[in-house]
Amino acid sequence: MKVLIASSNLGKVKEIGEILKKIDKKVEILSLKDIFDEVPDIPENARTFTGNALAKANFLAKKSAGNWILADDSGLVVSALKGNPGVRSARYAGEIKDDKKNIEKLLGEMQEFVEEEQRSAHFCCAMVLVSPNTEKSFAAIGKCKGKIAFEEKGDGGFGYDPIFIPEGYDKTFGELSSSVKNKISHRAKALEILSDIFKDVLNGGEI
Amino acid sequence: MKVLIASSNLGKVKEIGEILKKIDKKVEILSLKDIFDEVPDIPENARTFTGNALAKANFLAKKSAGNWILADDSGLVVSALKGNPGVRSARYAGEIKDDKKNIEKLLGEMQEFVEEEQRSAHFCCAMVLVSPNTEKSFAAIGKCKGKIAFEEKGDGGFGYDPIFIPEGYDKTFGELSSSVKNKISHRAKALEILSDIFKDVLNGGEI
């Protein structure tokens, strides 16, 4: 079984690949660079994380016949900002992805919310597995609850990690080690759920 | 868009129907009783929750042409019992569904596991949406982690609810109000994912 991980983030491809290989050594992991000379522009215009992940997976399934596709979409959902930045997380401050500008914009909007309970937020990750003919789609969502810090801390991770403090910790994702993050993150949770589906697909189950 | 909810549990049909109607008022909800004079015996022999839900949905899609089908399957997965009762949750103690006998059997098997960490378990719900021609299937998986209580408590809910204590609470699903349960349950999580898929399907997204 060949699985194309629909991400241009090689760190993410490696992380997901390692988890899938633990389930079955016969899984062959492909990255976008194994399939495309030039990685195509993948549409992300749906209204939900799941919609975006499915759109990416279906787009790639058409372009790379014969492989299973694993795609994800994730973002930060801030209660006080009515769910923003949400599906627009990566491009919150403008059409070009810029973590620094996104964080600045968000911290600016959060200035008026000074009480602890006003700063609650969660990271959300939708992860989908789509069959080669796109007939079957399996979706799982993982969430990681926490709050928005008052300032950037730490330089680990990416995106909004330096301003997100997960529940049960007093450090941001930017400060916490990647091994801690990989245990409690939204992505880890979504992948854990999808792993069960993988086991069955790999074992020729009826699904 | 007509959606047949593949459940003979009218409470579940109503709950799911209300959520779908919030997404789009044009959705027309059908129950098995709207389609069949006599509700057919639906096969549930797959090895996984997703497999069972898909088997139900595909079976019904053939019998009721023209409707989208929504089906679910769920159960309790206990670590110390190597994943049992799992897909056999409803009929764990015998071929006739009997919540009381199932709970007795499970508590008996758990007697030797007295340490807190030996009692970890999770409820799992697979919810699927299948297109009228069964060309497309979307599966959403929700989990609710917790532990097995030492004795039955509360008479709310159904199935194993009186012996399942969800993470972050010290009461069983049998004791907790249905509004709390409906926020944190495996079924709520699966339905939340499927709702996102619905939004994009209904709005003519690319999925």
Side-chain angles (χ1 to χ4, degrees), chain B residues 58-123:
Chain B
N58 287 333
F59 175 87
L60 287 167
K62 279 176 204 148
K63 304 245 174 199
S64 87
N67 301 310
W68 285 78
I69 314 282
L70 191 128
D72 77 340
D73 193 50
S74 51
L76 181 65
V77 178
V78 182
S79 314
L81 304 179
K82 294 174 183 167
N84 277 328
V87 287
R88 298 188 298 129
S89 289
R91 294 179 174 82
Y92 198 40
E95 272 315 295
I96 295 162
K97 289 184 191 180
D98 188 325
D99 288 350
K100 212 172 163 52
K101 284 190 182 163
N102 287 336
I103 285 177
E104 266 172 30
K105 182 177 177 188
L106 192 93
L107 284 182
E109 290 172 339
M110 290 298 287
Q111 262 178 350
E112 61 178 298
F113 304 107
V114 292
E115 305 294 335
E116 192 85 346
E117 66 269 19
Q118 291 179 309
R119 304 198 59 101
S120 72
H122 67 261
F123 269 122

Side-chain angles (χ1 to χ4, degrees), chain B:
Chain B
M1 181 178 177
K2 289 184 180 179
V3 182
L4 172 64
I5 315 278
S7 174
S8 44
N9 179 335
L10 284 181
K12 212 195 277 181
V13 173
K14 194 172 162 241
E15 179 193 327
I16 295 172
E18 278 165 9
I19 293 171
L20 297 184
K21 285 226 172 265
K22 267 187 210 160
I23 299 169
D24 193 315
K25 282 182 191 163
K26 286 176 297 199
V27 176
E28 192 180 327
I29 303 298
L30 301 170
S31 77
L32 291 175
K33 287 176 184 169
D34 294 323
I35 304 280
F36 302 103
D37 289 332
E38 201 173 324
V39 176
D41 229 6
I42 303 177
E44 285 188 40
N45 305 316
R47 297 185 313 167
T48 64
F49 299 113
T50 311
N52 270 337
L54 280 172
K56 277 187 230 181
N58 287 333
F59 175 87
L60 287 167
K62 279 176 204 148
K63 304 245 174 199
S64 87
N67 301 310
W68 285 78
I69 314 282
L70 191 128
D72 77 340
D73 193 50
S74 51
L76 181 65
V77 178
V78 182
S79 314
L81 304 179
K82 294 174 183 167
N84 277 328
V87 287
R88 298 188 298 129
S89 289
R91 294 179 174 82
Y92 198 40
E95 272 315 295
I96 295 162
K97 289 184 191 180
D98 188 325
D99 288 350
K100 212 172 163 52
K101 284 190 182 163
N102 287 336
I103 285 177
E104 266 172 30
K105 182 177 177 188
L106 192 93
L107 284 182
E109 290 172 339
M110 290 298 287
Q111 262 178 350
E112 61 178 298
F113 304 107
V114 292
E115 305 294 335
E116 192 85 346
E117 66 269 19
Q118 291 179 309
R119 304 198 59 101
S120 72
H122 67 261
F123 269 122
C124 181
C125 171
M127 200 168 276
V128 303
L129 179 68
V130 171
S131 68
N133 48 19
T134 74
E135 269 179 12
K136 285 259 178 189
S137 307
F138 302 100
I141 297 107
K143 277 188 188 179
C144 180
K145 288 185 184 175
K147 60 187 179 194
I148 303 299
F150 288 93
E151 54 180 5
E152 277 185 77
K153 276 186 185 165
D155 52 11
F158 56 92
Y160 297 91
D161 283 354
I163 57 165
F164 182 80
I165 301 169
E167 212 170 75
Y169 292 81
D170 55 8
K171 287 181 175 172
T172 69
F173 263 164
E175 293 174 294
L176 291 165
S177 70
S178 63
S179 68
V180 169
K181 190 188 162 192
N182 288 344
K183 263 184 208 149
I184 62 169
S185 78
H186 47 308
R187 186 167 293 113
K189 286 178 187 165
L191 196 56
E192 184 194 334
I193 300 172
L194 214 57
S195 300
D196 286 350
I197 293 174
F198 250 99
K199 279 181 207 161
D200 286 300
V201 168
L202 290 168
N203 288 294
E206 287 141 74
I207 57 174

Side-chain angles (χ1 to χ4, degrees), chain A residues 182-202:
Chain A
N182 288 344
K183 262 184 207 148
I184 62 169
S185 79
H186 47 307
R187 187 166 294 112
K189 285 178 187 164
L191 198 55
E192 182 198 331
I193 297 172
L194 216 57
S195 298
D196 290 347
I197 296 292
F198 250 101
K199 281 180 208 161
D200 289 302
V201 170
L202 290 168

Side-chain angles (χ1 to χ4, degrees), chain A residues 42-56:
Chain A
I42 303 177
E44 286 188 39
N45 306 316
R47 299 190 312 167
T48 64
F49 297 115
T50 312
N52 269 337
L54 281 171
K56 277 186 229 179

Side-chain angles (χ1 to χ4, degrees), chain A residues 88 90-98 101-102 105:
Chain A
R88 297 188 299 130
R91 295 180 174 80
Y92 197 41
E95 273 314 297
I96 296 164
K97 289 185 190 180
D98 187 325
K101 285 189 182 164
N102 287 337
K105 181 176 177 188

